[in-house]
């Protein structure tokens, strides 16, 4: 009886201390949470503010766009239609998709076997070949541009997108590097098992390694596609004289010039150029982040 | 007798083994053929040809004419614009790369200290890095428009001075740096992964030794992440050496003229040549004015500089090659 009383007497203050302690700990936690996150939120606002301002601008009337107003008086989604009617944006979009799709497909065809040989096959000179890949990756395109440009002129392909698409049939250094890094993360045992079973090396690659490297291949393809989508140097060099071959990057840069003061239309076009990249990123964020990490961390 | 057989076996493999090795070599060759062709056509041949063309006068119409060192003499003594372009590019190499690495590291460190919402913050900080360069420049020239841009509207409302940003020769490059800092997300992701990889035990040991935050960063964090910082710095320098898109578009848009690619000499590097980069000068001389010999000389100098930077990387690549092999 006394023991029970003692326990209840003992337990009551104990529980009170616990709750008070818990509450204090919770409050401290909440305060430090706010302190830690206020800086994060401030920086996040700085990173997001440009998006907000250009979206607001893209909905303004052409008259209001001439003022310094930050908020639209009335909302004009029709700006996004005008972008297509006042400039051949559909043609630019078609050209960009042609460039990006073919370049990515060709790159995969040529770079996957090369990356496989550099990571999964044993041969003399493999390390030297990898150093060549690194050197090609680091070489600014301007260094070899003159002879390559002359070559495409001889083939009468300047003015078209082919000078940017066709070289991918012969491998792309950055993609080979990235694919190699992905292939190296797959345990060698799976390939060895298939070889013991008498598979040819081509079958080992297509049936064993490639299915396991799907995320890596997806990330590499996505990087290539986005590189083409964003590319400005290549289209400027080869197609600036021929507007029929312009891509979105080129169209966008001159769009501003066609409508010098029409910031509302320019910003609507800018958003349209960003949108596909952002959407794909949100759909495939994990693959993407993995890919970027692999480009740097292994270094 | 047995010794003789052994010796033969060691010196000359049996026909079956030799056939197997030949098959293996052919397999490797088959996998590599497209890439090897690529190395020959798009790397070795143009590299050699560029060096040759740099000693010639060449305009695509008539065959190249040997003129010795004339292109190089012109470049180093008589071309004021190449001096300006090289200065601007060097400025970007030093300031832009340093600023991006430091800011990327700061943002990554901030993300590691956030107890919750790490994924969300990481996404927000990465997002601008995805924006196509041309779209990003257009957005920034609009944001920093001296008369109507939101930045100067806000500065004005706060009673602060309203600079001319992309229209001021002394602020045009710093404005481009701000654009580069907005897109720092690619570095941030790499740094973040590296920071999260630092072994926890090392921090615990340092805490037992009672180190201050600076010492903890200097002696625990930095040695662990320095390879990644080095990689970021070198790839950053290589990218800055070929800085083209942002400078070209910013100049043409801020000047309000249709000069895609920089055709109009008067507006080259607007304002006052402050955004003319080496890569742009090479492009204009070679592919707008068709001084292909001179452009090749510019390319040779660019190659020498980028090779020097790459060699630093390749010295580190030894660990890259073997380090990656160790992860099998």
């Amino acid at each position: 009886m006394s023991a029970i009383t003692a326990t209840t007497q003992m337990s009551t203050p104990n529980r009170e201390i616990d709750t008070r302690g818990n509450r204090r700990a919770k409050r401290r936690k909440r305060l430090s949470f706010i302190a830690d996150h206020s800086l994060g939120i401030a920086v996040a606002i700085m990173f997001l503010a440009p998006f907000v301002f250009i979206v607001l601008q893209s909905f303004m009337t052409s008259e209001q766009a001439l003022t310094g107003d930050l908020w639209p008086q009335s909302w004009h989604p029709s700006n996004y239609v005008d972008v297509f009617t006042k400039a051949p944006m559909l043609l630019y979009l078609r050209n960009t998709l042609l460039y990006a799709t073919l370049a990515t497909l060709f790159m995969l065809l040529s770079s996957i076997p090369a990356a496989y040989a550099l990571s999964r096959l044993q041969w003399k000179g493999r390390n030297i070949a990898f150093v060549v890949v690194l050197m090609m990756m680091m070489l600014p395109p301007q260094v070899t541009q003159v002879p390559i440009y002359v070559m495409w002129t001889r083939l009468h392909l300047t003015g078209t997108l082919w000078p940017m698409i066709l070289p991918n049939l012969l491998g792309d250094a950055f993609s080979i590097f990235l694919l190699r890094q992905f292939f190296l993360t797959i345990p060698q045992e799976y390939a060895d098992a298939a070889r013991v079973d008498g598979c040819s090396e081509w079958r080992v690659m297509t049936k064993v390694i490639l299915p396991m490297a799907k995320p890596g291949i997806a990330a590499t393809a996505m990087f290539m596609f986005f590189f083409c989508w964003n590319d400005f140097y290549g289209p400027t060099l080869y197609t600036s004289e021929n507007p029929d071959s312009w891509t979105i990057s080129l169209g966008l840069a001159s769009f501003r010039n066609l409508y010098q003061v029409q910031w509302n239309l320019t910003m609507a076009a800018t958003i349209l150029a960003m949108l596909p990249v952002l959407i794909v990123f949100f759909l495939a964020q994990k693959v993407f982040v993995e890919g970027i990490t692999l480009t740097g961390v292994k270094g | 007798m047995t010794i003789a057989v052994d010796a033969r076996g060691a010196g000359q493999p049996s026909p079956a083994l030799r056939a197997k090795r030949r098959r293996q070599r052919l397999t490797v060759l088959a996998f590599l053929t497209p890439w090897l062709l690529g190395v020959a056509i798009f790397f070795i041949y143009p590299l050699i040809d560029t060096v040759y063309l740099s000693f010639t006068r060449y305009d695509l119409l008539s065959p190249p004419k040997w003129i010795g060192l004339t292109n190089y003499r012109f470049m180093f003594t008589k071309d004021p614009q190449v001096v300006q372009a090289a200065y601007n590019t060097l400025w970007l190499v030093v300031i832009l790369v340093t600023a991006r690495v430091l800011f990327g590291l700061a943002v990554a460190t901030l993300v590691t200290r956030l107890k919750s919402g790490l994924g969300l913050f990481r996404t927000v900080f990465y997002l601008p890095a995805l924006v196509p360069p041309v779209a990003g420049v257009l957005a920034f020239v609009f944001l920093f428009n001296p008369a109507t841009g939101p930045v100067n509207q806000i500065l004005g409302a706060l009673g602060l001075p309203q600079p001319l940003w992309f229209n001021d020769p002394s602020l045009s490059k710093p404005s481009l740096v701000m654009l580069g800092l907005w897109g720092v997300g690619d570095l941030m992701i790499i740094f973040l992964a590296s920071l999260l990889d630092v072994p926890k035990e090392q921090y615990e040991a340092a805490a037992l030794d009672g180190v201050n935050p600076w010492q903890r960063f200097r002696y625990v964090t930095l040695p662990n992440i320095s390879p990644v910082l080095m990689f970021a710095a070198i790839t950053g320098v290589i990218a800055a050496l070929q800085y083209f898109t942002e400078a070209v578009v910013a100049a043409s848009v801020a000047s309000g003229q249709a000069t895609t690619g920089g055709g109009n000499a008067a507006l080259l590097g607007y304002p006052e040549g402050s955004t003319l980069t080496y890569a742009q000068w090479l492009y204009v001389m070679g592919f707008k004015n068709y001084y292909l010999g001179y452009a090749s000389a510019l390319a040779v100098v660019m190659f020498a500089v980028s090779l020097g930077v790459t060699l630093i990387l390749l010295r580190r690549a030894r660990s890259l090659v073997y380090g990656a092999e160790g992860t099998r």
Side-chain angles (χ1 to χ4, degrees), chain A residues 252-274:
Chain A
L252 210 55
S254 59
F255 198 82
R256 166 67 182 83
N257 300 311
L258 291 172
Y259 304 100
Q260 271 187 46
V261 284
Q262 284 180 282
W263 280 116
N264 53 341
L265 292 189
T266 310
M267 288 302 112
T270 300
I271 288 165
L272 288 175
M274 293 178 187

Side-chain angles (χ1 to χ4, degrees), chain B residues 178-207:
Chain B
M178 280 193 277
L179 173 64
L181 292 183
W182 187 51
V184 82
D186 49 348
L187 291 185
M188 183 272 301
I189 296 266
I190 295 168
F191 293 164
L192 180 62
S194 174
L195 284 172
L196 294 176
D197 264 357
V198 178
K200 282 218 167 47
E201 303 79 49
Q202 294 187 14
Y203 283 124
E204 284 159 11

Side-chain angles (χ1 to χ4, degrees), chain B residues 90 95 127 142 155 158 165 204 216 226 254 262 272 312 328:
Chain B
L90 189 68
I95 309 284
L127 222 47
F142 159 69
L155 288 177
L158 296 171
W165 302 115
E204 284 159 11
R216 192 179 54 192
S226 64
E272 292 176 28
I312 302 172
R328 264 187 196 171

Side-chain angles (χ1 to χ4, degrees), chain B residues 117-150:
Chain B
L118 186 143
L120 181 69
F121 278 104
R122 191 179 60 183
T123 304
V124 169
F125 297 148
Y126 180 63
L127 222 47
L130 281 169
V131 170
V134 174
V137 186
L138 283 171
F140 262 58
V141 175
F142 159 69
L143 290 169
F144 287 88
N145 184 293
T148 59

Side-chain angles (χ1 to χ4, degrees), chain A residues 116 120 187-196 201 204 208-209:
Chain A
Y116 185 81
R120 282 282 159 258
Q188 183 79 0
E189 288 74 34
Y190 293 99
D192 287 341
R195 283 188 198 116
V196 168
E201 208 51 62
V204 175
V208 181
I209 302 293

Side-chain angles (χ1 to χ4, degrees), chain A residues 33 36-37 47 57 66 68 126-127 138 141 147 154 176 230 256-257 260 281 285 288 292-293 295 298-299, chain B residues 35 46 50 58 114-116 123 126 130 132 142 148 153 182 193 231 238 242 253 256-257 316 320-321 325:
Chain A
F33 181 89
D36 280 345
H37 286 69
F47 273 80
Q57 180 73 24
L66 291 170
R126 200 175 82 162
N127 287 344
M138 301 302 276
R154 293 272 146 73
I176 292 174
N230 294 342
R256 166 67 182 83
N257 300 311
Q260 271 187 46
F281 170 70
Q285 196 173 351
F288 214 85
I292 302 157
T293 312
T295 59
K298 285 287 161 80
Chain B
W35 177 71
T50 300
Y58 186 35
L114 298 170
K115 304 247 171 356
S116 71
T123 304
Y126 180 63
L130 281 169
F142 159 69
T148 59
Q153 292 300 314
W182 187 51
F231 188 83
I238 294 287
Q242 44 183 297
V253 176
Q257 298 294 319
R316 279 206 24 74
L320 189 98
V321 173
E325 221 128 13

